[in-house]
């Protein structure tokens, strides 16, 4: 990693850049002079011909992180065009909501397919190139839900917990090659994540969990709608990329969110569980 290099010489790939954290990070880093490529499943490679009329400051390329060939095609296109990839921000993901008993195995698999295996595919595609460069930064957008289980988002929490272990291990494996691995752990933010949350198909069909889930998810959505803007995470990312030796984990968001994750290891489990259930109106 060479943070002293001019930002304009650093090529950035950001997955899921059509909205929310991804778009905010892509716009902010573009404004700073980074060469930013954001991915979207709906983009087309031939859109570059119309780049003169694009409203956004970064280039959008097609990529579906659930499709290995799509990931490889996008990475190959970027390498052919720029010759290198310096920074990858693994941001693509979504939230599955509903009681675990109401979630089908296929729905849980779908959650992991995007949130976990999507990250795995992108990392596998870029690591050989970063090793040859002897430099690179891999940023994984996790969640505070990867540090504490969120009721009625068990599959989402599980996917983010998985990223915690993956990033922790990967960081030690690739560090000798000059590659840094960083986890961003956002709490409740005001993004399209709320509107795009996917509900388990059985969640609203006379589920015995329906009333409790409605209270808990209503509390979550209220906190998200009143959360900080995604630009806060983008500015944190800027600081991380300028740091010569960034930490592994960076919690970000409201103080109450970060405090809840911080005290988990210090409180008795029953006390902590009671506090979380009270916060989500479950006791």
């Amino acid at each position: 990693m060479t943070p002293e290099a001019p930002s304009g010489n650093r090529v950035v790939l950001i997955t899921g850049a059509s909205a929310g954290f991804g778009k905010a990070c892509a716009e902010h880093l573009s404004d700073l002079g980074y060469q930013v490529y954001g991915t979207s499943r709906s983009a087309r490679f031939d859109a570059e011909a119309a780049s003169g009329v694009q409203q956004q400051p970064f280039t959008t390329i097609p990529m579906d992180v659930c499709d290995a060939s799509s990931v490889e095609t996008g990475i190959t296109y970027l390498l052919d065009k720029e010759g290198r990839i310096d920074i990858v921000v693994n941001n693509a993901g979504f939230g599955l909501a509903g009681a675990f008993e109401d979630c089908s195995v296929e729905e849980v698999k779908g959650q992991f397919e995007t949130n976990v295996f999507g990250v795995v595919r992108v990392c596998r595609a870029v690591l050989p190139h970063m090793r040859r460069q002897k430099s690179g930064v891999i940023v994984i957008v996790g969640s505070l839900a990867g540090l504490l289980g969120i009721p009625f988002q068990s599959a989402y929490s599980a996917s983010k917990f998985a990223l915690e272990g993956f990033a922790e291990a990967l960081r030690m494996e690739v560090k000798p090659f000059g590659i840094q691995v960083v986890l961003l752990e956002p709490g409740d933010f005001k993004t399209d994540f709320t509107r795009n949350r996917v509900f388990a198909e059985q969640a609203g069909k006379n589920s015995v969990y329906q009333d409790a889930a409605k209270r808990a998810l209503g509390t979550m959505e209220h906190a998200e709608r009143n959360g900080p803007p995604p630009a806060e995470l983008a500015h944190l990312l800027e600081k991380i990329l300028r740091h010569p030796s960034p930490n592994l984990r960076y919690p970000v968001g409201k103080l109450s969110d970060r405090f809840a994750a911080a005290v988990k290891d210090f409180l008795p489990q029953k006390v902590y569980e009671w506090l979380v259930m009270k916060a989500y109106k479950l006791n």
Side-chain angles (χ1 to χ4, degrees):
M1 178 178 173
T2 55
E4 70 279 7
S7 58
N9 294 337
R10 304 179 78 186
V11 179
V12 186
L13 174 68
I14 301 177
T15 65
S18 59
F21 292 141
K23 185 176 182 181
C25 290
E27 290 177 340
H28 184 60
L29 293 185
S30 294
D31 289 344
L32 294 172
Y34 290 83
Q35 302 300 312
V36 179
Y37 289 78
T39 77
S40 169
R41 287 178 297 177
S42 61
R44 298 190 308 170
F45 283 117
D46 60 7
E48 185 180 6
S51 60
V53 296
Q54 287 182 344
Q55 298 299 311
Q56 56 196 22
F58 60 94
T59 302
T60 303
I61 62 172
M63 185 181 292
D64 181 354
V65 298
C66 293
D67 183 339
S69 64
S70 175
V71 171
E72 290 289 348
T73 298
I75 298 299
T76 299
Y77 172 85
L78 183 48
L79 287 169
D80 287 345
K81 187 170 176 57
E82 298 290 347
R84 61 188 294 117
I85 300 176
D86 298 295
I87 301 156
V88 172
V89 181
N90 290 281
N91 168 72
F94 75 96
L96 174 67
F100 168 73
E101 193 176 345
D102 292 333
C103 296
S104 69
V105 171
E106 290 306 313
E107 287 173 323
V108 175
K109 283 183 176 180
Q111 179 75 102
F112 273 72
E113 193 66 42
T114 298
N115 291 10
V116 179
F117 292 109
V119 175
V120 168
R121 292 185 186 96
V122 173
C123 289
R124 283 183 60 83
V126 301
L127 274 172
H129 309 287
M130 288 185 170
R131 276 194 296 102
R132 285 194 287 270
Q133 293 169 185
K134 297 183 179 180
S135 67
V137 183
I138 293 175
V139 179
I140 297 173
V141 180
S143 172
L144 288 179
L147 299 177
L148 51 97
I150 306 297
F152 301 102
Q153 291 196 105
S154 58
Y156 177 74
S157 281
S159 71
K160 295 299 185 178
F161 266 79
L163 291 179
E164 291 283 328
F166 172 69
E168 187 171 302
L170 181 64
R171 178 178 167 100
M172 293 183 282
E173 293 177 12
V174 301
K175 192 171 185 178
F177 299 99
I179 302 169
Q180 296 283 357
V181 176
V182 175
L183 265 167
L184 292 175
E185 299 166 329
D188 293 321
F189 274 74
K190 187 177 182 180
T191 69
D192 290 342
F193 182 87
T194 306
R195 179 168 54 85
N196 294 332
R197 180 175 280 117
V198 174
F199 289 84
E201 186 176 349
Q202 297 299 318
K205 298 184 177 180
N206 299 316
S207 167
V208 296
Y209 301 97
Q210 190 170 10
D211 290 342
K214 187 176 181 180
R215 292 195 303 274
L217 291 167
T219 301
M220 294 173 204
E221 292 180 358
H222 176 78
E224 290 164 353
R225 286 193 297 269
N226 291 277
E232 182 175 310
L233 184 139
H235 283 84
L236 173 60
L237 177 60
E238 174 195 349
K239 294 178 181 178
I240 292 169
L241 296 180
R242 294 185 185 279
H243 199 288
S245 182
N247 296 330
L248 169 61
R249 293 181 171 88
Y250 287 88
V252 56
K254 291 181 291 186
L255 178 61
S256 57
D257 292 343
R258 290 181 281 122
F259 179 77
V263 300
K264 178 182 179 181
D265 293 335
F266 300 99
L267 292 176
Q269 174 59 29
K270 289 184 178 179
V271 174
Y272 186 79
E273 186 177 284
W274 183 85
L275 289 172
V276 172
M277 293 184 71
K278 181 176 178 62
Y280 290 113
K281 302 179 180 180
L282 298 177
N283 54 14

